Coordinates of all heavy atoms in Angstrom, one line a residue:
M23 N 1.4 9.7 9.4 CA 1.9 8.4 9.6 C 2.8 8.0 8.5 O 2.3 8.1 7.3 CB 0.7 7.4 9.8 CG 1.0 6.0 9.9 SD -0.3 4.9 10.3 CE -1.6 5.4 9.2
K24 N 4.0 7.5 8.7 CA 4.9 7.1 7.7 C 5.6 5.8 8.0 O 6.0 5.6 9.1 CB 6.0 8.2 7.6 CG 7.0 7.8 6.5 CD 7.8 9.0 6.1 CE 8.9 8.7 5.1 NZ 8.7 7.7 4.2
A25 N 5.6 4.9 7.0 CA 6.3 3.6 7.2 C 7.8 3.9 7.1 O 8.3 4.8 6.5 CB 5.9 2.7 6.1
I26 N 8.5 3.0 7.8 CA 10.0 3.1 7.8 C 10.6 1.8 7.3 O 10.0 0.8 7.4 CB 10.6 3.5 9.2 CG1 10.2 2.5 10.2 CG2 10.1 4.9 9.6 CD1 10.9 2.7 11.6
G27 N 11.8 1.9 6.8 CA 12.6 0.7 6.4 C 11.9 0.0 5.2 O 11.5 0.6 4.2
R28 N 11.7 -1.3 5.3 CA 11.1 -2.1 4.3 C 9.6 -2.4 4.5 O 9.0 -3.4 4.0 CB 11.9 -3.4 4.1 CG 13.3 -3.1 3.7 CD 14.1 -4.3 3.2 NE 13.6 -5.0 2.1 CZ 13.6 -4.6 0.8 NH1 14.2 -3.5 0.5 NH2 13.1 -5.4 -0.1
N29 N 9.0 -1.6 5.4 CA 7.6 -1.8 5.7 C 6.6 -1.0 4.8 O 7.0 0.1 4.3 CB 7.3 -1.4 7.2 CG 8.0 -2.3 8.1 OD1 7.8 -3.5 8.1 ND2 8.8 -1.7 9.0
I30 N 5.4 -1.4 4.7 CA 4.4 -0.7 3.9 C 3.1 -0.7 4.8 O 2.7 -1.7 5.4 CB 4.1 -1.5 2.6 CG1 5.3 -1.7 1.8 CG2 3.0 -0.8 1.8 CD1 5.1 -2.7 0.7
I31 N 2.5 0.5 4.8 CA 1.2 0.6 5.5 C 0.2 0.6 4.5 O 0.2 1.4 3.5 CB 1.2 1.9 6.4 CG1 2.3 1.9 7.4 CG2 -0.2 2.1 7.0 CD1 2.5 3.2 8.1
I32 N -0.8 -0.2 4.6 CA -1.9 -0.4 3.6 C -3.2 -0.3 4.3 O -3.4 -0.5 5.4 CB -1.8 -1.8 2.9 CG1 -1.9 -2.9 3.9 CG2 -0.5 -1.8 2.1 CD1 -1.9 -4.3 3.3
K33 N -4.2 0.0 3.4 CA -5.6 0.0 3.8 C -6.3 -1.1 3.0 O -6.3 -1.1 1.8 CB -6.3 1.4 3.5 CG -7.7 1.5 3.9 CD -7.8 1.7 5.4 CE -9.2 2.1 5.7 NZ -9.5 2.1 7.1
K34 N -6.7 -2.1 3.7 CA -7.3 -3.3 3.1 C -8.6 -3.0 2.4 O -9.4 -2.2 2.9 CB -7.5 -4.4 4.2 CG -7.6 -5.8 3.7 CD -7.6 -6.7 4.9 CE -7.8 -8.1 4.5 NZ -7.8 -9.0 5.7
A35 N -8.8 -3.5 1.2 CA -10.1 -3.3 0.5 C -11.2 -4.0 1.3 O -11.0 -5.1 1.9 CB -10.0 -3.9 -0.9
K36 N -12.4 -3.5 1.1 CA -13.6 -4.2 1.8 C -13.8 -5.5 1.2 O -13.7 -5.7 0.0 CB -14.8 -3.3 1.6 CG -14.8 -2.0 2.2 CD -14.9 -2.1 3.7 CE -14.9 -0.7 4.3 NZ -14.7 -0.7 5.7
E37 N -14.0 -6.5 2.1 CA -14.3 -7.9 1.6 C -15.8 -8.1 1.5 O -16.6 -7.7 2.3 CB -13.7 -8.9 2.6 CG -12.2 -8.8 2.6 CD -11.5 -9.8 3.5 OE1 -12.3 -10.4 4.3 OE2 -10.3 -10.0 3.4
G38 N -16.1 -8.8 0.4 CA -17.5 -9.1 0.1 C -17.8 -10.5 0.6 O -17.0 -11.2 1.2
T39 N -19.0 -11.0 0.3 CA -19.4 -12.4 0.6 C -19.7 -13.1 -0.7 O -19.9 -12.6 -1.8 CB -20.7 -12.4 1.4 OG1 -21.7 -11.7 0.7 CG2 -20.5 -11.7 2.8
T40 N -19.6 -14.5 -0.6 CA -19.9 -15.3 -1.7 C -20.8 -16.4 -1.3 O -20.8 -16.8 -0.1 CB -18.6 -16.0 -2.3 OG1 -17.9 -16.7 -1.3 CG2 -17.7 -14.9 -2.9
K41 N -21.5 -17.0 -2.2 CA -22.5 -18.1 -1.9 C -21.9 -19.4 -2.3 O -21.4 -19.5 -3.5 CB -23.8 -17.8 -2.6 CG -24.9 -18.6 -2.1 CD -26.2 -18.2 -2.9 CE -27.3 -18.1 -1.9 NZ -28.6 -17.7 -2.6
T42 N -21.9 -20.4 -1.5 CA -21.4 -21.7 -1.8 C -22.5 -22.5 -2.6 O -23.6 -22.0 -2.7 CB -21.1 -22.5 -0.5 OG1 -22.3 -22.8 0.2 CG2 -20.1 -21.8 0.3
K43 N -22.1 -23.6 -3.1 CA -23.1 -24.4 -3.9 C -24.3 -24.8 -3.0 O -25.4 -25.0 -3.5 CB -22.4 -25.7 -4.4 CG -21.4 -25.4 -5.5 CD -20.8 -26.7 -6.0 CE -19.7 -26.4 -7.0 NZ -19.0 -27.6 -7.5
G44 N -24.0 -25.0 -1.7 CA -25.1 -25.4 -0.8 C -25.9 -24.2 -0.3 O -26.9 -24.4 0.5
G45 N -25.6 -23.0 -0.7 CA -26.4 -21.8 -0.3 C -25.8 -21.1 0.9 O -26.5 -20.1 1.3
L46 N -24.7 -21.5 1.4 CA -24.2 -20.8 2.6 C -23.5 -19.5 2.1 O -22.8 -19.5 1.1 CB -23.1 -21.6 3.3 CG -23.7 -22.9 4.0 CD1 -22.5 -23.7 4.5 CD2 -24.6 -22.5 5.1
L47 N -23.6 -18.4 2.9 CA -22.9 -17.2 2.6 C -21.6 -17.2 3.4 O -21.6 -17.3 4.6 CB -23.7 -16.0 2.9 CG -25.0 -15.8 2.1 CD1 -25.7 -14.6 2.6 CD2 -24.6 -15.5 0.6
L48 N -20.4 -17.0 2.7 CA -19.1 -16.9 3.3 C -18.5 -15.6 3.1 O -18.5 -15.1 2.0 CB -18.2 -18.0 2.7 CG -18.5 -19.5 3.0 CD1 -17.5 -20.3 2.3 CD2 -18.5 -19.8 4.4
A49 N -18.0 -15.0 4.2 CA -17.2 -13.8 4.0 C -15.9 -14.2 3.3 O -15.4 -15.3 3.5 CB -16.9 -13.2 5.4
E50 N -15.3 -13.3 2.6 CA -14.1 -13.6 1.8 C -12.9 -14.1 2.7 O -12.1 -14.9 2.3 CB -13.6 -12.4 1.1 CG -13.6 -12.6 -0.4 CD -13.2 -11.4 -1.2 OE1 -11.9 -11.2 -1.2 OE2 -14.0 -10.8 -1.8
N51 N -12.9 -13.6 4.0 CA -11.8 -14.0 4.9 C -12.0 -15.5 5.3 O -11.1 -16.0 6.0 CB -11.7 -13.1 6.1 CG -12.9 -13.0 6.9 OD1 -13.9 -13.6 6.6 ND2 -12.8 -12.3 8.0
H52 N -13.1 -16.1 5.0 CA -13.3 -17.5 5.4 C -13.1 -18.4 4.1 O -13.3 -19.6 4.3 CB -14.7 -17.7 6.0 CG -14.8 -17.2 7.3 ND1 -15.6 -16.1 7.6 CD2 -14.2 -17.5 8.5 CE1 -15.5 -15.8 8.8 NE2 -14.7 -16.6 9.4
R53 N -12.7 -17.9 3.0 CA -12.5 -18.7 1.8 C -11.1 -19.1 1.7 O -10.2 -18.3 1.7 CB -12.9 -17.9 0.6 CG -14.4 -17.6 0.5 CD -14.8 -17.0 -0.8 NE -14.3 -17.8 -1.9 CZ -14.2 -17.3 -3.2 NH1 -14.6 -16.1 -3.4 NH2 -13.8 -18.1 -4.1
D54 N -10.9 -20.4 1.7 CA -9.5 -21.0 1.6 C -8.9 -20.9 0.2 O -7.7 -21.0 0.1 CB -9.5 -22.4 2.1 CG -9.8 -22.5 3.6 OD1 -9.5 -21.6 4.3 OD2 -10.4 -23.6 4.0
D55 N -9.7 -20.8 -0.8 CA -9.2 -20.8 -2.2 C -8.6 -19.5 -2.6 O -8.0 -19.4 -3.6 CB -10.3 -21.2 -3.1 CG -11.5 -20.3 -3.1 OD1 -11.8 -19.6 -2.1 OD2 -12.2 -20.2 -4.2
I56 N -8.8 -18.4 -1.8 CA -8.2 -17.1 -2.2 C -7.1 -16.8 -1.2 O -7.2 -16.6 0.0 CB -9.3 -16.0 -2.1 CG1 -10.4 -16.2 -3.1 CG2 -8.6 -14.6 -2.3 CD1 -11.5 -15.2 -3.1
R57 N -5.9 -16.7 -1.8 CA -4.7 -16.5 -0.9 C -4.3 -15.1 -0.9 O -3.8 -14.6 0.1 CB -3.5 -17.3 -1.5 CG -2.3 -17.1 -0.7 CD -1.2 -18.1 -0.9 NE -0.1 -17.7 -0.1 CZ 1.0 -18.4 -0.1 NH1 1.1 -19.5 -0.8 NH2 2.0 -18.0 0.6
Y58 N -4.5 -14.3 -1.9 CA -4.1 -12.9 -2.0 C -5.3 -12.0 -1.9 O -6.3 -12.3 -2.5 CB -3.3 -12.7 -3.3 CG -2.1 -13.6 -3.3 CD1 -2.0 -14.6 -4.2 CD2 -1.0 -13.4 -2.5 CE1 -0.9 -15.5 -4.3 CE2 0.1 -14.2 -2.5 CZ 0.1 -15.3 -3.4 OH 1.2 -16.1 -3.5
V59 N -5.1 -10.8 -1.2 CA -6.2 -9.9 -1.1 C -5.7 -8.5 -1.6 O -4.5 -8.2 -1.7 CB -6.7 -9.7 0.4 CG1 -7.4 -11.0 0.8 CG2 -5.5 -9.5 1.3
Q60 N -6.6 -7.7 -1.9 CA -6.3 -6.4 -2.5 C -6.3 -5.3 -1.4 O -7.0 -5.3 -0.5 CB -7.4 -6.0 -3.5 CG -7.1 -4.8 -4.3 CD -8.1 -4.6 -5.4 OE1 -8.5 -5.6 -6.1 NE2 -8.6 -3.4 -5.6
A61 N -5.4 -4.3 -1.6 CA -5.3 -3.2 -0.7 C -4.7 -2.0 -1.4 O -4.2 -2.1 -2.5 CB -4.3 -3.6 0.5
T62 N -4.9 -0.8 -0.8 CA -4.4 0.4 -1.3 C -3.2 0.8 -0.4 O -3.3 0.8 0.8 CB -5.4 1.5 -1.2 OG1 -6.5 1.1 -2.0 CG2 -4.9 2.8 -1.8
V63 N -2.1 1.2 -1.0 CA -0.9 1.6 -0.3 C -1.1 3.0 0.4 O -1.5 4.0 -0.3 CB 0.4 1.7 -1.2 CG1 1.6 2.2 -0.4 CG2 0.6 0.3 -1.7
H64 N -0.9 3.1 1.7 CA -1.0 4.4 2.4 C 0.3 5.1 2.6 O 0.4 6.3 2.4 CB -1.7 4.1 3.7 CG -1.9 5.4 4.5 ND1 -2.9 6.3 4.2 CD2 -1.3 5.9 5.6 CE1 -2.8 7.3 5.1 NE2 -1.8 7.1 5.9
S65 N 1.3 4.3 2.9 CA 2.7 4.8 3.1 C 3.7 3.7 2.8 O 3.5 2.5 3.1 CB 2.8 5.3 4.6 OG 4.1 5.8 4.8
V66 N 4.9 4.1 2.2 CA 5.9 3.2 1.8 C 7.2 3.6 2.6 O 7.5 4.8 2.6 CB 6.1 3.3 0.3 CG1 7.3 2.4 -0.1 CG2 4.9 3.0 -0.5
G67 N 7.9 2.6 3.1 CA 9.2 2.8 3.8 C 10.2 3.4 2.8 O 10.2 3.2 1.6
D68 N 11.3 4.0 3.4 CA 12.3 4.7 2.6 C 13.2 3.7 1.9 O 14.0 4.2 1.0 CB 13.1 5.6 3.5 CG 13.6 5.0 4.7 OD1 13.3 3.8 5.0 OD2 14.4 5.6 5.5
E69 N 13.2 2.4 2.2 CA 14.1 1.5 1.5 C 13.4 0.8 0.3 O 13.9 -0.1 -0.3 CB 14.6 0.4 2.5 CG 15.5 1.0 3.6 CD 15.9 -0.1 4.6 OE1 15.9 -1.3 4.2 OE2 16.3 0.3 5.7
I70 N 12.2 1.2 0.0 CA 11.4 0.5 -1.0 C 11.3 1.3 -2.3 O 11.0 2.5 -2.2 CB 10.0 0.2 -0.5 CG1 10.0 -0.7 0.7 CG2 9.1 -0.4 -1.6 CD1 8.7 -0.9 1.4
Q71 N 11.5 0.7 -3.4 CA 11.4 1.3 -4.7 C 10.3 0.6 -5.5 O 10.1 -0.6 -5.3 CB 12.7 1.3 -5.5 CG 13.8 2.0 -4.8 CD 15.1 1.9 -5.6 OE1 15.2 1.2 -6.6 NE2 16.1 2.5 -5.1
G72 N 9.6 1.3 -6.4 CA 8.6 0.7 -7.2 C 7.2 0.8 -6.7 O 6.3 0.4 -7.4
L73 N 7.0 1.3 -5.5 CA 5.7 1.4 -4.9 C 5.5 2.9 -4.5 O 6.5 3.5 -4.0 CB 5.5 0.5 -3.7 CG 5.1 -0.9 -3.9 CD1 5.0 -1.6 -2.6 CD2 3.8 -1.0 -4.6
K74 N 4.3 3.4 -4.5 CA 4.1 4.7 -4.0 C 2.7 4.7 -3.4 O 1.9 3.8 -3.6 CB 4.2 5.7 -5.1 CG 3.3 5.6 -6.3 CD 3.6 6.5 -7.4 CE 2.7 6.4 -8.6 NZ 2.4 5.1 -9.2
R75 N 2.4 5.8 -2.8 CA 1.1 6.0 -2.1 C -0.1 5.9 -3.2 O 0.1 6.3 -4.3 CB 1.0 7.4 -1.5 CG -0.3 7.7 -0.7 CD -0.2 9.1 -0.1 NE -1.4 9.4 0.5 CZ -1.7 9.2 1.8 NH1 -0.9 8.6 2.6 NH2 -2.9 9.5 2.3
N76 N -1.1 5.3 -2.8 CA -2.3 5.0 -3.6 C -2.2 4.0 -4.7 O -3.1 3.8 -5.4 CB -2.9 6.4 -4.2 CG -3.3 7.3 -3.2 OD1 -3.9 6.9 -2.2 ND2 -3.1 8.6 -3.4
D77 N -1.1 3.3 -4.7 CA -1.0 2.1 -5.6 C -1.9 1.0 -5.1 O -2.1 0.9 -3.9 CB 0.4 1.5 -5.6 CG 1.4 2.2 -6.6 OD1 0.9 3.1 -7.4 OD2 2.6 2.0 -6.5
I78 N -2.5 0.2 -6.0 CA -3.4 -0.9 -5.6 C -2.5 -2.1 -5.7 O -1.8 -2.4 -6.8 CB -4.6 -1.0 -6.6 CG1 -5.4 0.3 -6.6 CG2 -5.4 -2.2 -6.2 CD1 -6.0 0.7 -5.3
I79 N -2.5 -2.9 -4.7 CA -1.6 -4.1 -4.6 C -2.4 -5.4 -4.3 O -3.5 -5.3 -3.7 CB -0.5 -4.0 -3.6 CG1 -1.0 -3.8 -2.2 CG2 0.5 -2.8 -4.0 CD1 0.0 -3.9 -1.1
L80 N -1.8 -6.5 -4.5 CA -2.3 -7.8 -4.0 C -1.2 -8.3 -3.1 O 0.0 -8.3 -3.5 CB -2.6 -8.8 -5.1 CG -3.7 -8.5 -6.0 CD1 -3.8 -9.6 -7.1 CD2 -5.0 -8.4 -5.3
Y81 N -1.6 -8.8 -1.9 CA -0.6 -9.3 -1.0 C -1.1 -10.5 -0.3 O -2.3 -10.8 -0.3 CB -0.2 -8.2 0.1 CG -1.3 -7.9 1.1 CD1 -1.2 -8.5 2.3 CD2 -2.4 -7.1 0.8 CE1 -2.2 -8.3 3.3 CE2 -3.4 -6.9 1.7 CZ -3.3 -7.5 3.0 OH -4.3 -7.3 3.9
D82 N -0.2 -11.3 0.3 CA -0.5 -12.5 1.0 C -1.4 -12.2 2.2 O -1.1 -11.4 3.1 CB 0.7 -13.2 1.5 CG 0.5 -14.6 2.1 OD1 -0.6 -14.9 2.6 OD2 1.4 -15.4 2.0
R83 N -2.6 -12.8 2.3 CA -3.6 -12.5 3.3 C -3.2 -12.8 4.7 O -3.7 -12.2 5.6 CB -4.9 -13.3 3.0 CG -4.9 -14.7 3.4 CD -6.2 -15.5 3.1 NE -7.4 -14.8 3.5 CZ -8.3 -14.2 2.7 NH1 -8.1 -14.2 1.4 NH2 -9.4 -13.6 3.1
H84 N -2.2 -13.6 4.9 CA -1.7 -13.9 6.3 C -0.5 -13.1 6.7 O 0.0 -13.2 7.8 CB -1.3 -15.4 6.3 CG -2.4 -16.3 6.0 ND1 -3.5 -16.5 6.7 CD2 -2.6 -17.1 4.9 CE1 -4.3 -17.4 6.2 NE2 -3.8 -17.7 5.0
A85 N -0.2 -12.1 5.9 CA 1.0 -11.3 6.2 C 0.7 -10.1 7.1 O -0.5 -9.6 7.1 CB 1.6 -10.7 4.9
G86 N 1.7 -9.7 7.8 CA 1.6 -8.4 8.6 C 0.7 -8.5 9.8 O 0.3 -9.5 10.3
H87 N 0.4 -7.3 10.3 CA -0.5 -7.1 11.5 C -1.3 -5.8 11.4 O -1.0 -4.9 10.6 CB 0.4 -7.1 12.7 CG 1.4 -6.1 12.8 ND1 2.7 -6.3 12.2 CD2 1.5 -4.9 13.3 CE1 3.4 -5.2 12.3 NE2 2.7 -4.3 13.0
K88 N -2.3 -5.7 12.2 CA -3.2 -4.6 12.1 C -2.7 -3.5 13.1 O -2.1 -3.8 14.2 CB -4.6 -4.9 12.6 CG -5.4 -5.8 11.7 CD -6.7 -6.1 12.2 CE -7.4 -7.2 11.4 NZ -8.8 -7.5 11.9
I89 N -3.0 -2.2 12.7 CA -2.8 -1.1 13.7 C -4.0 -0.2 13.6 O -4.7 -0.2 12.5 CB -1.5 -0.3 13.4 CG1 -1.5 0.3 12.0 CG2 -0.2 -1.2 13.6 CD1 -0.4 1.2 11.7
E90 N -4.3 0.5 14.6 CA -5.4 1.4 14.6 C -4.9 2.8 14.9 O -4.2 3.0 15.9 CB -6.4 1.0 15.6 CG -7.7 1.9 15.5 CD -8.8 1.4 16.4 OE1 -9.0 0.1 16.4 OE2 -9.5 2.2 17.0
V91 N -5.1 3.8 14.0 CA -4.7 5.2 14.2 C -6.0 6.0 13.9 O -6.6 5.9 12.9 CB -3.6 5.5 13.2 CG1 -3.2 7.0 13.3 CG2 -2.4 4.7 13.4
E92 N -6.3 6.8 14.9 CA -7.5 7.7 14.8 C -8.7 7.0 14.4 O -9.4 7.4 13.5 CB -7.2 8.9 14.0 CG -6.1 9.8 14.5 CD -5.7 10.9 13.6 OE1 -6.4 11.1 12.6 OE2 -4.7 11.6 13.9
K93 N -9.0 5.8 15.0 CA -10.2 5.0 14.7 C -10.2 4.4 13.3 O -11.3 3.9 12.9 CB -11.4 5.7 15.1 CG -11.5 6.1 16.5 CD -12.8 6.6 16.9 CE -12.7 7.1 18.4 NZ -13.8 6.8 19.2
E94 N -9.1 4.4 12.6 CA -9.0 3.8 11.3 C -8.1 2.6 11.4 O -7.1 2.7 12.1 CB -8.4 4.8 10.2 CG -9.3 5.9 9.8 CD -10.4 5.4 8.9 OE1 -10.2 4.4 8.1 OE2 -11.5 6.0 8.9
T95 N -8.4 1.5 10.8 CA -7.6 0.3 10.9 C -6.8 0.2 9.6 O -7.3 0.3 8.5 CB -8.5 -1.0 11.0 OG1 -9.3 -0.8 12.2 CG2 -7.7 -2.2 11.1
Y96 N -5.5 0.0 9.8 CA -4.5 -0.2 8.7 C -3.8 -1.5 9.0 O -3.9 -2.1 10.1 CB -3.5 0.9 8.7 CG -4.1 2.3 8.5 CD1 -4.5 3.1 9.5 CD2 -4.3 2.8 7.2 CE1 -5.0 4.4 9.3 CE2 -4.8 4.0 7.0 CZ -5.2 4.8 8.0 OH -5.8 6.0 7.8
H97 N -3.0 -2.0 8.0 CA -2.2 -3.2 8.1 C -0.8 -2.8 7.8 O -0.5 -2.0 6.9 CB -2.6 -4.3 7.2 CG -3.9 -4.9 7.6 ND1 -5.1 -4.3 7.4 CD2 -4.2 -6.1 8.1 CE1 -6.1 -5.1 7.9 NE2 -5.5 -6.2 8.3
V98 N 0.2 -3.3 8.5 CA 1.6 -3.1 8.2 C 2.2 -4.5 7.7 O 2.0 -5.5 8.3 CB 2.4 -2.7 9.5 CG1 3.9 -2.6 9.2 CG2 1.8 -1.4 10.0
I99 N 2.7 -4.4 6.5 CA 3.3 -5.6 5.8 C 4.7 -5.3 5.4 O 5.1 -4.2 5.3 CB 2.4 -6.1 4.7 CG1 2.4 -5.1 3.5 CG2 1.0 -6.5 5.1 CD1 1.7 -5.6 2.3
K100 N 5.4 -6.4 5.1 CA 6.8 -6.2 4.5 C 6.7 -6.2 3.0 O 5.7 -6.8 2.4 CB 7.7 -7.4 4.9 CG 7.8 -7.6 6.4 CD 8.8 -6.6 6.9 CE 9.0 -6.9 8.4 NZ 9.6 -5.8 9.1
V101 N 7.6 -5.6 2.3 CA 7.6 -5.5 0.9 C 7.6 -6.9 0.2 O 7.0 -7.1 -0.8 CB 8.8 -4.6 0.4 CG1 10.1 -5.3 0.6 CG2 8.6 -4.2 -1.1
G102 N 8.2 -7.9 0.8 CA 8.2 -9.2 0.3 C 6.9 -9.9 0.2 O 6.7 -10.9 -0.5
D103 N 5.9 -9.4 1.0 CA 4.5 -9.9 1.0 C 3.7 -9.5 -0.2 O 2.6 -10.0 -0.5 CB 3.8 -9.6 2.3 CG 4.5 -10.3 3.5 OD1 5.0 -11.4 3.3 OD2 4.6 -9.6 4.5
V104 N 4.2 -8.4 -0.9 CA 3.4 -7.9 -2.1 C 3.8 -8.8 -3.3 O 4.9 -9.1 -3.6 CB 3.9 -6.4 -2.4 CG1 3.2 -5.9 -3.7 CG2 3.5 -5.5 -1.2
V105 N 2.7 -9.2 -4.0 CA 2.9 -10.1 -5.1 C 2.6 -9.4 -6.5 O 3.2 -9.8 -7.5 CB 2.1 -11.4 -5.0 CG1 2.7 -12.3 -3.9 CG2 0.7 -11.2 -4.8
V106 N 1.7 -8.4 -6.4 CA 1.3 -7.8 -7.7 C 1.0 -6.3 -7.4 O 0.4 -6.0 -6.4 CB 0.0 -8.4 -8.3 CG1 -0.5 -7.7 -9.5 CG2 0.2 -9.9 -8.6
V107 N 1.4 -5.4 -8.3 CA 1.0 -4.0 -8.3 C 0.1 -3.9 -9.5 O 0.5 -4.1 -10.6 CB 2.2 -3.0 -8.3 CG1 1.7 -1.6 -8.4 CG2 3.1 -3.3 -7.2
L108 N -1.2 -3.5 -9.2 CA -2.2 -3.4 -10.3 C -2.1 -2.0 -11.0 O -1.7 -1.0 -10.4 CB -3.6 -3.6 -9.8 CG -3.8 -5.0 -9.1 CD1 -5.2 -5.0 -8.6 CD2 -3.6 -6.0 -10.2

């Protein structure tokens, strides 16, 4: 599987849970205070420089869409959604 153009295929990091002051357990995807999430780059489009396979990135949690290939879930995002390369 290869990304084309300015697209990036990523594998989202597993999200954990946090405990609120009241004792409720929230999944990270329900936390409004965290805007960016971590992922590993699986494939980079041919128009993108500065990123490569296996880079760890932070990207906007609302960006892109999911795809499923061979029972694995990946996300496809645009290079403009990446905010940090770790």
Side-chain angles (χ1 to χ4, degrees):
M23 171 171 51
K24 178 163 176 33
I26 58 172
R28 300 192 58 78
N29 293 306
I30 304 169
I31 300 171
I32 59 172
K33 183 77 171 172
K34 200 170 174 181
K36 297 285 183 196
E37 294 183 345
T39 58
T40 56
K41 195 178 222 181
T42 65
K43 290 179 184 179
L46 295 173
L47 293 176
L48 294 177
E50 241 180 77
N51 60 354
H52 290 111
R53 291 188 53 196
D54 293 332
D55 60 332
I56 297 178
R57 177 163 179 179
Y58 301 108
V59 291
Q60 185 172 319
T62 302
V63 175
H64 181 73
S65 178
V66 178
D68 53 353
E69 295 179 20
I70 299 174
Q71 296 178 359
L73 276 178
K74 62 186 182 308
R75 184 179 173 92
N76 295 324
D77 278 350
I78 306 296
I79 62 167
L80 293 178
Y81 73 99
D82 189 331
R83 80 179 314 105
H84 302 291
H87 56 276
K88 292 180 187 180
I89 59 171
E90 188 173 316
V91 177
E92 298 177 5
K93 300 192 185 217
E94 288 285 331
T95 302
Y96 299 93
H97 287 75
V98 178
I99 62 172
K100 301 284 185 195
V101 68
D103 296 320
V104 176
V105 293
V106 175
V107 178
L108 301 175

